[in-house]
Amino acid sequence: MKHYLFLILLLLISCKKNEGRKEIIPKDETLDLKYEVLNQLIDKFEDEDSELNYVYNISLETTDFDAVFYNKNEPYPPPPPPKFGIKPVYDGHIFLQGDSVYYQNQAEIFRSFKLNKNRIKRKLQYTNDEELEKMRRIKGSYFWDQFRRKFKNKCLRKLSVPFFNKDKTTCVVLDSLLCNPLEGKVFHIAVYKKTQGIWKETRSYDYTIG
């Protein structure tokens, strides 16, 4: 009997140690705002392009916020070379160098974001990076054949999860649209500012790949 009690005690101690090792992710204080922005942008896309049917991919893909959105009036190293032809979007009054620690912490929380479809008001079709990557890796098959097989003639619309400034009054979102393999992939990097409850685009940069 003593042996069994000893084993149970060891198991309890082991469980407590494992609990202590679990990574503690801070609460996402911008989570509600993220869904607020996403819902407004999705409403905008659906209303403006009612003839197009989209499959949405809410992605963690971002631009290089830490390199290109800091206040230019403060000393900061120049941004790295553009990736895939992407040119940086500069804004001198949004992401300040003095708040860099805050943004680094937010980036950690940002990476843990998981889309909750129930928080998107419109009932739409969604995909994710993992599913798209599997379609690309199927040997002997073309990506668009796989995409059409599942989503018919819909277009792929990707939205990055909004990333906010410290005051939570402004955010950056990257969106892209692709409807067929013959056209270039259009990227739109935009800065949105909340005005009277509406997230309005204040500046942007477009570029095409392909």
Side-chain angles (χ1 to χ4, degrees), residues 83-202:
K83 298 177 182 178
F84 307 109
I86 300 175
K87 294 182 181 179
V89 181
Y90 288 98
D91 195 301
H93 305 283
I94 299 178
F95 295 82
L96 304 180
Q97 183 182 355
D99 298 331
S100 61
V101 173
Y102 172 83
Y103 295 120
Q104 288 169 7
N105 292 335
Q106 286 302 300
E108 293 300 318
I109 299 172
F110 182 88
R111 294 188 191 99
S112 67
F113 178 87
K114 301 292 183 184
L115 178 67
N116 181 353
K117 297 176 187 177
N118 294 325
R119 298 198 64 173
I120 303 296
K121 295 175 183 177
R122 299 209 185 198
K123 302 303 177 185
L124 303 165
Q125 262 191 303
Y126 298 91
T127 184
N128 54 51
D129 291 335
E130 290 77 14
E131 183 176 41
L132 294 174
E133 186 61 28
K134 284 181 181 179
M135 290 181 183
R136 293 187 184 97
R137 291 189 176 186
I138 294 176
K139 291 183 179 179
S141 180
Y142 187 47
F143 168 78
W144 279 100
D145 290 339
Q146 296 296 323
F147 187 85
R148 297 288 182 230
R149 189 171 297 161
K150 180 164 186 177
F151 300 116
K152 309 302 179 186
N153 292 320
K154 294 189 175 183
C155 295
L156 176 61
R157 183 129 219 172
K158 177 178 283 190
L159 280 172
S160 71
V161 178
F163 193 90
F164 295 85
N165 68 339
K166 189 174 182 179
D167 294 335
K168 305 175 190 64
T169 57
T170 306
C171 68
V172 180
V173 179
L174 180 149
D175 75 79
S176 63
L177 175 63
L178 193 59
C179 291
N180 65 69
L182 299 179
E183 64 182 17
K185 191 173 184 180
V186 179
F187 286 87
H188 183 74
I189 301 173
V191 177
Y192 294 89
K193 185 175 179 64
K194 192 172 185 179
T195 305
Q196 297 180 343
I198 305 297
W199 290 91
K200 296 183 178 180
E201 185 176 311
T202 60

